[in-house]
């Protein structure tokens, strides 16, 4: 027997039942679950990057469970339930894909003979952004006391800093607030690096930290102008660093040298060996 989505929703209801449920699950609330949601999302990304597809159903299930949690909270407070989430999502996707569902209904399709390749990607992206902008305006207008809609609205503050920097700069770039090419970004990086050096030379650590942030933001912009994901770039570098450092550890262990006794020159020598090994 295979369990269904309805079974999962029932399971959550029982876990949250104050008489029959689990003490840990009963204690959870909107705020306490957020860190778990972020962690589960990263574990999905990690499984994909490692191509651990045998682990992926479990990791995706853990992530789905987070959505079920929020749906249960919403149902308990009579705000919304899981079916409202599905309905809202489906309606939004239909609205944002008029090139796929021309009548805005799930049953509608493009005219015969018009393939996905025939639809201009640039036009699709432009329409997508216009629709999202209209949705932001609509949400801002729903609250008469809210500030005017900004192109930076809806960029989650809980995103990793690199990802959020990329999204913020991408939003600003769409309205023309951007460098004309990557050379302009490179010049900005050099400028920010100079300012870091000046702050360090002046012994102003607080200012230096601020300038490091500016430098990171500029580097994030360089990745964006290259069409690269800065978060993924850094994740790849983290993996590379870990791989090479573990090589250093293994080589020192094989030589009977404790890591804490090894000199920087010894470690550097093994590091270069690890780097050379990867290039062959």
């Amino acid at each position: 027997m295979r369990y269904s989505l309805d079974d999962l929703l029932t399971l959550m209801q029982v876990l949250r039942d104050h008489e029959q449920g689990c003490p840990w699950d009963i204690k959870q609330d909107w705020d306490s679950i957020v860190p778990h949601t972020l962690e589960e999302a990263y574990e999905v990304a990690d499984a994909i990057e490692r191509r651990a597809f045998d682990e992926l159903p479990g990791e995706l299930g853990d992530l789905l469970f987070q959505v079920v949690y929020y749906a249960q909270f919403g149902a308990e407070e009579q705000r919304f339930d899981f079916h409202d989430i599905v309905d809202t999502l489906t309606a939004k996707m239909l609205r944002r894909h008029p090139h796929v569902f021309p009548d805005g209904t799930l049953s509608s399709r493009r005219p015969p003979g018009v393939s996905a390749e025939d639809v201009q990607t640039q036009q699709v992206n432009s329409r997508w952004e216009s629709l999202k902008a209209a949705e932001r305006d609509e949400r801002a207008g729903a609250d008469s006391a809210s500030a005017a809609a900004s192109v930076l609205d809806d960029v989650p503050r809980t995103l990793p800093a690199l990802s959020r920097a990329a999204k913020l700069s991408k939003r600003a770039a769409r309205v023309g607030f951007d460098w004309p090419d990557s050379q302009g970004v490179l010049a900005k990086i050099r400028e920010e690096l100079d300012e870091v050096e000046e702050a360090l030379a002046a012994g102003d650590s607080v200012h230096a930290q601020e300038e490091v942030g500016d430098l990171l933001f500029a580097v994030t912009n360089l990745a964006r102008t290259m069409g690269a994901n800065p978060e993924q770039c850094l994740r790849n570098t983290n993996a590379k660093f870990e791989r090479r450092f573990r090589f250093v550890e293994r080589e020192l262990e094989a030589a009977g040298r404790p890591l804490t006794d090894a000199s920087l020159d010894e470690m550097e020598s093994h590091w270069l060996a690890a780097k050379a090994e990867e290039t062959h």
Side-chain angles (χ1 to χ4, degrees), residues 7 20 71 83 91 109 111 117 123 180 219 239:
D7 292 327
Q20 302 293 325
H83 302 291
R109 298 292 186 274
E117 289 76 12
Q123 293 177 358
V219 172

Side-chain angles (χ1 to χ4, degrees), residues 41-52 55-56 59 235:
Y42 283 124
E43 290 184 1
V44 168
D46 178 65
I48 292 173
E49 288 175 2
R50 293 185 290 108
R51 294 298 187 263
E55 300 176 17
L56 201 50
E59 298 298 352
R235 288 174 69 88

Side-chain angles (χ1 to χ4, degrees), residues 90-219:
T90 304
K92 179 169 63 177
M93 290 300 107
L94 287 171
R95 188 168 60 248
R96 290 184 178 180
H97 290 81
H99 53 289
V100 179
F101 307 101
D103 295 340
T105 63
L106 198 56
S107 60
S108 64
R109 298 292 186 274
R110 284 194 301 265
V114 181
S115 68
E117 289 76 12
D118 295 329
V119 179
Q120 293 293 322
T121 302
Q122 186 62 38
Q123 293 177 358
V124 170
N125 290 342
S126 177
R127 188 182 299 116
W128 177 275
E129 292 304 328
S130 296
L131 288 167
K132 290 205 296 185
E135 290 170 3
R136 288 195 295 271
D137 290 342
E138 184 178 343
R139 282 193 293 273
D143 182 1
S144 59
S146 66
S150 166
V151 296
L152 304 181
D153 285 345
D154 298 338
V155 179
R157 294 182 180 276
T158 53
L159 282 175
L162 279 178
S163 295
R164 190 162 193 268
K167 283 186 173 291
L168 288 171
S169 62
K170 185 177 181 180
R171 288 280 184 90
R174 287 189 186 129
V175 294
F177 193 71
D178 197 12
W179 290 273
D181 52 41
S182 58
Q183 291 303 310
V185 190
L186 287 169
K188 184 63 175 177
I189 290 173
R190 296 186 187 99
E191 175 189 327
E192 298 296 353
L193 182 57
D194 287 343
E195 292 179 358
V196 171
E197 292 179 341
E198 290 172 7
L200 289 173
D204 189 340
S205 62
V206 174
H207 186 207
Q209 291 176 38
E210 179 184 343
E211 295 300 342
V212 167
D214 292 345
L215 177 60
L216 288 170
F217 193 86
V219 172

Side-chain angles (χ1 to χ4, degrees), residues 11-53:
L11 181 146
M12 174 55 75
Q13 291 171 6
V14 175
L15 287 175
R16 291 278 296 172
D17 186 274
H18 282 268
E19 291 185 3
Q20 302 293 325
C22 170
W24 188 89
D25 291 285
I26 293 170
K27 291 178 181 177
Q28 302 314 305
D29 58 26
W30 297 99
D31 297 315
S32 68
I33 290 297
V34 169
H36 298 282
T37 306
L38 297 174
E39 180 180 342
E40 298 300 351
Y42 283 124
E43 290 184 1
V44 168
D46 178 65
I48 292 173
E49 288 175 2
R50 293 185 290 108
R51 294 298 187 263
F53 295 116

Side-chain angles (χ1 to χ4, degrees), residues 249-258 266 270:
E249 290 178 316
R250 288 195 302 272
E251 292 299 303
L252 288 171
E253 183 180 4
R257 292 279 290 164
E266 287 179 279
H270 291 306

